[in-house]
């Protein structure tokens, strides 16, 4: 293990870095993201080790610094230059990139705890946060686990046991099989008894890993196989349970906070219904759906369950809620949730601070009547994913340019990356959590729309376009949502923003103006014409702009810093400062302000512009160049029916065919695992396998050739 004491040797080196990171936790205008109240006389711990990485490690370190607590970061070898490592007072490498050899390596982490003399460990979420063996090992060495005791972790971490406890605590539960499913045959038998559809889920799981919905026997067998493999990979426990799948529900959870003195509170709800692959994408607090009576009933049941297992820390009780506001216990997460910031925004509590206080043995400072709902908060999970592939398949690469929208009011960004960071295949593809706050929901959503437009992410694919479309969709704005929102709204997959005629003209006019601003700038040198004696008085131009399948004639004339652009017989006035060096460009089109980003351009007139969240590819040519381009040959499209390419970077888990095998359309060819999720690759047509270019254990990149058919 490599050990580095940053508290003495590197503080000065990273002073500037720390100053650039600080703003991401600053308080938003007129409303605190969470309580800054800290009593320096209330002693807690001198040093805490954070057994995690990324944004949650940074989040915990932030509160520790506020409380005057020194921090120790652990990291894998590929995370040596990660932000959480730079922020911590000390950092220690615990192994190579694979999580089983680093962030799940209990022996290595325990050795770091001994070496650094950390008094307590905050596990964040995921990894070892709900691992009872880890908590036991800490307790055996007199180290405090900042979370519940091992009994609560055991009881609530096992979905089978937690369901039985919930029933005994008078908590509403979903009908299902309360035992462990032995094999695929038993899974089919149980599913038939319960009645389709059913949910197959990992007993020790969470975060959408190891979960499958099955509508028939075949899907049950397949779901059992994939869920058990994902559960073993993510949690080291392949046990599964099966329960009735409640079709078209809402996913609403209650944040609880309890101490070691028998006190427990519910901190209102979070609406988490916008999901893909059973993983949350957009969350908000409070929910538009709950009335005070239902909120209170859910909160009281959540507290009853927490008290039943003598829970002490922050935790979350998740419910499924049907259209009649009947709610059913789903699971209890005995850790800090990813989406905890929205609760902090509307209650003013710092949940990490509360967890540290409780772990030290202090009683809660608040009563149930003290817990408010102040305003509205929305969180978008920004992922390095391609939203046009199954609502988000992972993308890897280096963040060549990265700029968070922290210049906007009421914006919070929880992230663990910076410009130059690598997004790798080894860990979750989350880039950040983007949170906006408003006095009401409409204000919070407007601020989120603006924040998404002002978020600069280059070097990897990202899901900004999907997030923006979700929050402006009429159904979402009206609060008409469920866990099936994405497949219902986009039955053929997400295609990006669909431009109205006016928006199309605005984009064409903006692109043409940007093109001309750049052309005019290229004619000048240090503010003067390159050839003063040949000064041109030309002020109007005819262009041809290709957008999608359409080619549009565009007339542009210049008047000062503005351009008058004629598109489809209509004139639009486009004004901007035309700062072409900035990644963000504020443009006013006939009085309407838009924030756009030019993603790329080349010498052939092709350019990509992010407009209303979606990146559009255009080609801008002069009228003469457009006429000549008709004679250029076009590249023939590749026939992809006979080949299978990897749609994402990942690891080949299994290959089901060999050369000479006959395969049918839709038959599984191989399985690719990316960011702990397994994806079945299928044949696009019936045919004979000509060649197999991969084997189990291979690492593949997006677009790599896997299998060829004759």
């Amino acid at each position: 293990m490599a050990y580095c004491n940053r508290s003495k040797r590197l503080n000065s080196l990273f002073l500037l870095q720390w100053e650039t990171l600080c703003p991401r936790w600053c308080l938003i205008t007129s409303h605190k993201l969470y309580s800054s109240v800290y009593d320096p006389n209330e002693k807690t711990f001198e040093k805490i080790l954070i057994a995690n990485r990324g944004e949650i490690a940074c989040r915990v370190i932030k509160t520790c610094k506020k409380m005057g607590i020194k921090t120790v970061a652990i990291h894998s070898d590929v995370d040596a230059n990660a932000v959480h490592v730079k922020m911590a007072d000390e950092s220690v490498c615990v192994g190579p990139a694979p999580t089983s050899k680093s962030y799940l390596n209990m022996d290595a982490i325990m050795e770091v705890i001994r070496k650094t003399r950390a008094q307590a460990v905050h596990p964040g979420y995921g990894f070892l946060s709900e691992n009872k063996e880890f908590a036991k090992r800490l307790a055996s060495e007199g180290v405090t686990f900042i979370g519940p005791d091992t009994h609560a972790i055991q009881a609530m971490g096992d979905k089978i046991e937690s369901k039985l406890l919930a029933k005994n605590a008078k908590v509403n539960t979903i009908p299902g099989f309360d035992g462990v499913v032995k094999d695929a045959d038993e899974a089919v038998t149980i599913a038939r008894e319960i009645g389709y559809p059913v949910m197959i889920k990992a007993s020790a799981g969470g975060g959408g890993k190891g979960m499958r919905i099955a509508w028939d026997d075949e899907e049950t067998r397949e779901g059992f196989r994939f869920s058990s493999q994902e559960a073993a990979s993510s949690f080291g426990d392949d046990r599964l349970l099966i329960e009735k799948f409640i079709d078209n529900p809402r996913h609403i959870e209650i944040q609880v906070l309890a101490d070691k003195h028998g006190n427990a509170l519910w901190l209102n709800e979070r609406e988490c219904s916008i999901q893909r692959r059973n993983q949350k994408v957009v969350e908000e607090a409070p929910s538009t759906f709950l009335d005070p009576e239902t909120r209170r009933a859910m909160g009281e049941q959540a507290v009853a369950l927490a008290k039943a297992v003598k829970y002490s820390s922050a935790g979350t009780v998740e419910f499924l809620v049907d259209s009649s506001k009947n709610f059913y216990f789903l699971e209890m997460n005995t850790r800090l949730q990813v989406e905890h910031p929205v609760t902090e925004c509307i209650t003013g509590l710092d949940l990490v601070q509360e967890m540290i206080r409780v772990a030290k043995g202090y009683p809660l400072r608040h009563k149930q009547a003290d817990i408010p709902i102040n305003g509205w908060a929305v969180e978008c999970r920004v992922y390095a994913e391609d939203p046009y592939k199954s609502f988000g398949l992972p993308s890897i690469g280096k963040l060549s340019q990265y700029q968070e929208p922290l210049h906007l009011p009421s914006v919070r960004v929880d992230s663990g990356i910076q410009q130059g960071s690598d997004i790798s295949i080894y860990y979750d593809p989350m880039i950040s959590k983007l949170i906006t706050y408003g006095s009401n929901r409409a204000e919070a959503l407007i601020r989120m729309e603006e924040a998404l437009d002002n978020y600069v992410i280059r070097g990897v694919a990202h899901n900004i376009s999907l997030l923006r479309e979700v929050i402006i969709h009429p159904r979402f704005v009206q609060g008409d949502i469920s866990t099936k929102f994405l497949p219902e709204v986009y039955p053929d997959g997400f295609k990006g923003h669909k431009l109205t005629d006016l928006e199309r003209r605005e984009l064409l006019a903006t692109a043409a103006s940007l093109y001309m601003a750049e052309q005019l700038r290229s004619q000048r040198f240090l503010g003067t014409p390159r050839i003063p004696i040949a000064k041109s008085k030309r002020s109007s131009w005819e262009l041809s702009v290709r957008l999608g399948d359409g080619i549009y004639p565009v007339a542009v004339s210049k008047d000062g810093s503005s351009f008058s652009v004629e598109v489809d017989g209509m004139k639009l006035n486009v004004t901007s400062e035309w700062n072409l060096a900035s990644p963000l460009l504020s443009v006013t089109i006939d009085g309407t302000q838009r924030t756009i980003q030019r993603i790329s351009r080349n010498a052939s007139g092709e350019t990509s512009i992010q407009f209303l969240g979606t990146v559009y590819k255009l080609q801008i040519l002069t009228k003469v160049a457009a006429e000549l381009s008709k004679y250029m040959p076009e590249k023939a499209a590749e026939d992809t029916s006979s080949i299978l390419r990897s749609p994402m970077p990942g690891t080949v888990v299994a290959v089901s065919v060999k050369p000479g095998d006959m395969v049918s359309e839709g038959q599984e060819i191989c399985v690719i695992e990316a960011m702990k999720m397994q994806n079945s690759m299928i044949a696009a047509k019936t045919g004979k396998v000509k060649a197999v270019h991969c084997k189990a254990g291979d690492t593949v990149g997006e677009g790599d050739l896997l299998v060829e058919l004759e």
Side-chain angles (χ1 to χ4, degrees):
M1 291 183 292
Y3 177 71
C4 174
N5 189 324
R6 293 189 125 78
S7 60
K8 296 179 180 178
R9 190 163 63 86
L10 297 182
N11 269 358
S12 59
L13 178 61
F14 290 115
L15 180 60
L16 179 60
Q17 176 67 55
W18 167 246
E19 289 174 347
T20 63
L21 295 173
C22 278
R24 65 182 70 189
W25 303 291
C26 289
L27 302 181
I28 55 179
T29 5
S30 76
H31 179 84
K32 294 180 178 180
L33 288 176
Y34 33 69
S35 172
S36 59
V37 176
Y38 168 63
D39 182 0
N41 297 316
E42 188 178 78
K43 302 300 181 184
T44 54
F45 304 101
E46 292 181 5
K47 185 184 292 186
I48 291 176
L49 180 143
I50 296 94
N52 218 298
R53 66 179 298 279
E55 66 85 12
I56 190 59
C58 294
R59 167 68 188 88
V60 175
I61 291 171
K62 178 265 165 189
T63 289
C64 287
K65 287 187 179 294
K66 179 182 73 176
M67 298 176 71
I69 301 170
K70 292 181 179 179
T71 54
V72 180
I74 61 169
H75 64 88
S76 65
D77 54 6
V78 298
D79 272 346
N81 294 313
V83 173
H84 77 282
V85 174
K86 296 177 180 180
M87 285 180 60
D89 297 295
E90 303 171 51
S91 65
V92 184
C93 181
V94 290
T99 56
S100 61
K101 298 178 180 179
S102 52
Y103 295 103
L104 292 175
N105 187 344
M106 280 191 264
D107 290 338
I109 295 171
M110 293 303 299
E111 180 62 27
V112 174
I113 293 169
R114 297 185 196 104
K115 178 176 283 190
T116 60
R117 297 183 179 181
Q119 299 169 315
V121 172
H122 196 299
Y125 54 74
F127 294 136
L128 297 172
S129 63
E130 296 176 284
N131 188 301
K132 64 181 183 297
E133 295 304 322
F134 183 55
K136 285 180 180 178
R137 291 185 65 170
L138 292 174
S140 69
E141 300 207 15
V143 178
T144 301
F145 180 76
I146 301 177
D149 62 25
T150 54
H151 166 69
I153 296 174
Q154 163 71 33
M156 292 294 99
D158 187 314
K159 289 184 172 61
I160 297 168
E161 185 177 349
S162 67
K163 189 172 180 180
L164 295 174
L165 284 166
K167 284 183 178 179
N168 293 334
K170 309 299 182 185
V171 178
N172 304 342
T173 58
I174 302 170
F177 178 67
D178 295 331
V180 177
V181 184
K182 297 176 182 177
D183 52 37
D185 289 336
E186 185 179 34
V188 170
T189 301
I190 294 170
R192 289 175 179 174
E193 291 174 355
I194 296 173
Y196 288 110
V198 296
M199 172 69 82
I200 304 168
K201 58 203 295 190
S203 175
K209 306 288 196 308
M211 297 176 66
R212 289 291 190 281
I213 300 167
W215 295 80
D216 54 38
D217 292 355
E218 182 181 350
E219 290 186 2
T220 299
R221 293 183 185 279
E222 184 180 81
F224 181 90
R225 177 164 68 96
F226 281 123
S227 291
S228 59
Q229 290 172 354
E230 286 179 4
S233 173
S234 298
F235 315 111
D237 185 343
D238 63 358
R239 293 177 304 146
L240 302 177
L241 61 84
I242 298 180
E243 60 190 19
K244 181 70 177 177
F245 174 65
I246 299 178
D247 198 15
N248 216 35
R250 285 175 179 259
H251 185 133
I252 301 176
E253 59 191 29
I254 299 292
Q255 176 72 58
V256 295
L257 182 64
D259 62 24
K260 300 178 187 296
H261 305 276
N263 304 305
L265 305 172
W266 49 276
L267 308 182
N268 303 309
E269 79 279 5
R270 293 187 289 257
E271 173 75 71
C272 308
S273 297
I274 306 299
Q275 303 180 5
R276 54 99 177 91
R277 299 192 298 277
N278 299 310
Q279 290 181 305
K280 302 160 190 172
V281 179
V282 179
E283 301 102 347
E284 60 182 308
S287 168
T288 61
F289 190 63
L290 296 190
D291 53 58
E293 292 74 22
T294 307
R295 177 179 295 114
R296 185 180 305 107
M298 293 176 69
E300 289 173 351
Q301 286 198 17
V303 165
L305 180 59
K307 289 185 174 181
V309 292
K310 296 181 173 57
Y311 195 85
S312 60
S313 191
T316 298
V317 181
E318 300 189 349
F319 293 95
L320 291 181
V321 185
D322 66 21
S323 57
S324 300
K325 296 184 181 176
N326 299 308
F327 56 91
Y328 305 93
F329 170 71
L330 183 61
E331 64 183 4
M332 182 176 189
N333 292 315
T334 57
R335 53 170 167 80
L336 192 65
Q337 288 282 84
V338 176
E339 58 274 15
H340 75 274
V342 291
T343 296
E344 293 182 327
C345 285
I346 68 167
T347 63
L349 296 177
D350 180 338
L351 292 181
V352 175
Q353 180 178 333
E354 297 301 326
M355 292 178 75
I356 293 172
R357 292 187 68 261
V358 168
K360 188 61 177 177
Y362 291 109
L364 298 181
R365 297 177 293 179
H366 307 282
K367 303 296 183 184
Q368 190 61 57
D370 300 332
I371 306 303
I373 297 181
N374 287 330
W376 211 285
V378 179
E379 174 180 290
C380 285
R381 298 193 189 187
V382 181
Y383 282 104
E385 292 181 338
D386 184 348
Y388 300 97
K389 298 178 179 177
S390 302
F391 298 113
L393 291 185
S395 171
I396 62 172
K398 185 183 291 289
L399 289 168
S400 58
Q401 195 167 14
Y402 183 74
Q403 182 176 305
E404 296 171 349
L406 291 167
H407 59 287
L408 301 174
S410 301
V411 171
R412 168 178 169 179
V413 182
D414 282 17
S415 68
I417 49 88
Q418 60 187 353
Q419 188 164 301
S421 293
D422 286 307
I423 306 295
S424 75
I425 65 171
Y426 298 107
Y427 310 117
D428 189 272
M430 183 189 291
I431 293 174
S432 72
K433 300 178 310 196
L434 177 63
I435 305 102
T436 56
Y437 173 82
S439 58
N440 53 52
R441 188 170 187 260
E443 188 173 66
L445 289 177
I446 289 172
R447 286 174 172 165
M448 179 60 74
E449 184 179 344
E450 186 178 6
L452 290 168
D453 283 342
N454 281 268
Y455 207 145
V456 178
I457 304 171
R458 310 283 169 80
V460 296
H462 56 76
N463 66 336
I464 293 287
S465 56
L466 175 63
L467 296 172
R468 194 183 190 282
E469 285 303 292
V470 167
I471 66 162
I472 67 170
H473 194 278
R475 273 188 56 180
F476 183 85
V477 174
Q478 294 163 12
D480 177 18
I481 59 177
S482 74
T483 56
K484 296 178 70 175
F485 178 88
L486 289 178
E488 285 179 351
V489 172
Y490 309 107
D492 300 320
F494 179 66
K495 308 296 183 184
H497 182 72
K498 186 177 180 180
L499 295 168
T500 64
D501 287 342
L502 175 59
E503 290 169 346
R504 175 180 55 80
R505 288 191 290 269
E506 288 182 351
L507 174 57
L508 293 171
T510 300
S513 299
L514 183 58
Y515 173 83
M516 288 313 309
E518 191 165 53
Q519 293 297 310
L520 293 171
R521 188 187 68 169
S522 67
Q523 297 173 11
R524 305 183 70 83
F525 181 69
L526 293 179
T528 62
R530 291 188 178 186
I531 310 175
I533 59 173
K535 185 178 294 186
S536 173
K537 295 184 178 298
R538 187 176 180 186
S539 60
S540 62
W541 303 266
E542 290 187 333
L543 305 175
S544 175
V545 184
R546 180 193 297 269
L547 173 62
D549 296 329
I551 299 177
Y552 305 90
V554 176
V556 183
S557 58
K558 189 174 187 300
D559 181 14
S561 63
S562 298
F563 290 95
S564 177
V565 185
E566 185 174 338
V567 184
D568 296 341
M570 297 184 64
K571 285 191 175 182
L572 294 89
N573 186 265
V574 184
T575 304
S576 176
E577 293 183 358
W578 305 113
N579 180 1
L580 304 180
S582 172
L584 297 170
L585 195 63
S586 178
V587 179
T588 302
I589 311 162
D590 283 350
T592 300
Q593 191 275 332
R594 304 283 193 195
T595 299
I596 68 166
Q597 300 183 37
R598 186 175 61 183
I599 307 301
S600 65
R601 66 183 179 89
N602 61 29
S604 64
E606 294 176 341
T607 185
S608 295
I609 294 176
Q610 184 173 310
F611 178 75
L612 301 178
T614 295
V615 176
Y616 296 93
K617 294 181 179 180
L618 306 96
Q619 185 179 37
I620 308 169
L621 300 171
T622 63
K623 187 176 181 180
V624 173
E627 289 295 325
L628 295 174
S629 69
K630 297 176 182 178
Y631 301 100
M632 297 292 290
E634 292 187 6
K635 182 179 178 181
E638 180 183 34
D639 178 12
T640 59
S641 63
S642 298
I643 60 175
L644 176 65
R645 293 186 182 276
S646 178
M648 76 208 88
T651 302
V652 179
V653 175
V655 179
S656 308
V657 299
K658 61 182 183 300
D661 286 354
M662 290 298 299
V663 296
S664 301
E665 181 180 349
Q667 180 179 331
E668 181 179 288
I669 299 295
C670 62
V671 177
I672 306 292
E673 182 176 288
M675 279 83 168
K676 300 181 182 179
M677 296 294 288
Q678 295 195 358
N679 304 272
S680 177
M681 304 291 104
I682 61 174
K685 71 174 186 178
T686 299
K688 180 183 287 188
V689 177
K690 178 181 178 182
V692 178
H693 298 277
C694 63
K695 62 181 184 299
D698 284 356
T699 298
V700 296
E702 182 179 353
D704 284 2
L705 182 61
L706 303 175
V707 175
E708 291 181 83
L709 302 181
E710 292 182 353

